[in-house]
Amino acid sequence: MLEDKILLWRFKRGSTIALERIYTKHKVYLTSVATALLNDTHAAEDALHDFFVLLVQSADSIKLNRSFKAYSAVCVANIAKNKLKRRKLEPAALEGSCAIETEYPEPVLLAQQQEQTIAINKALAKLPYEQREAVTLHLLAGMTFAQIAKSTDTSINTIQSRYRYGLDKLKTLLNNEVIK
């Protein structure tokens, strides 16, 4: 977290190297957040790039009151939500793997991880957006319910309910996938 603050400080003072480091450090994580919300790797990459364009355009006005990781996850989630609204997209099932890096050298383990990721993304795509957002921001972004509530301008009880209903539906969907 300290590294992010230093990088952001340097970036705000014109360092392109700092911006490159921020991008390199967070691109996989932010693409994963966007993929979980949009269920489309190409749209997720677009959301990631849209975020960094906005970051560059508004560098002078950024004042973080939380971690850069949480800030960027909320921004990417908002961009994803706007993409869905603008294009009136219904999230489609992923045809390929999502952009999550792995450290498994064995092809069999990599294939298993990719299958699991695809199954999870398909199940996430079946959730209403609000539930998908609550689950993704809490589990993937590591945000507290209070942080999610504040960033989405929603009550904490509503966020907790969306999260609980989302997890229940995910469990059901994933159990049905395993049973098949």
Side-chain angles (χ1 to χ4, degrees):
M1 198 151 75
L2 180 60
E3 180 189 15
D4 287 339
K5 287 183 179 185
I6 293 169
L7 288 171
L8 194 57
W9 181 83
R10 288 181 178 162
F11 164 64
K12 289 172 119 181
R13 279 147 187 81
S15 172
T16 56
I17 294 170
L19 176 62
E20 182 181 343
R21 174 69 182 126
I22 292 168
Y23 179 83
T24 303
K25 183 177 178 184
H26 295 285
K27 72 179 177 182
V28 171
Y29 164 72
L30 293 173
T31 303
S32 298
V33 169
T35 300
L37 294 170
L38 295 166
N39 202 26
D40 178 336
T41 54
H42 298 294
E45 289 168 359
D46 288 345
L48 171 73
H49 294 130
D50 290 349
F51 166 71
F52 276 97
V53 167
L54 290 171
L55 182 69
V56 169
Q57 291 173 344
S58 61
D60 294 334
S61 63
I62 295 173
K63 291 181 177 73
L64 295 181
N65 56 1
R66 58 181 171 235
S67 73
F68 181 79
K69 185 176 181 179
Y71 168 81
S72 59
V74 169
C75 290
V76 168
N78 288 335
I79 291 168
K81 186 186 297 186
N82 290 336
K83 282 186 174 298
L84 287 173
K85 285 179 184 176
R86 235 184 356 259
R87 296 181 187 167
K88 296 181 182 174
L89 289 177
E90 277 301 312
L94 280 179
E95 294 175 10
S97 64
C98 74
I100 297 176
E101 290 181 353
T102 182
E103 295 186 17
Y104 296 121
E106 297 87 13
V108 172
L109 293 176
L110 178 59
Q112 289 173 341
Q113 183 189 32
Q114 289 175 336
E115 286 177 21
Q116 291 170 349
T117 299
I118 290 169
I120 291 168
N121 281 327
K122 284 181 180 180
L124 273 170
K126 293 179 182 176
L127 296 180
Y129 183 83
E130 291 80 13
Q131 291 175 10
R132 188 168 60 238
E133 180 180 47
V135 168
T136 300
L137 291 177
H138 186 66
L139 294 179
L140 248 171
M143 294 176 67
T144 66
F145 294 124
Q147 290 171 324
I148 298 168
K150 184 176 180 183
S151 69
T152 59
D153 198 28
T154 309
S155 77
I156 192 168
N157 290 335
T158 300
I159 295 299
Q160 289 172 329
S161 295
R162 289 175 181 172
Y163 177 78
R164 186 178 63 252
Y165 293 136
L167 280 186
D168 288 345
K169 185 159 185 173
L170 278 176
K171 287 177 190 174
T172 301
L173 291 168
L174 291 171
N175 283 337
N176 288 341
E177 181 72 25
V178 171
I179 293 171
K180 289 182 181 178

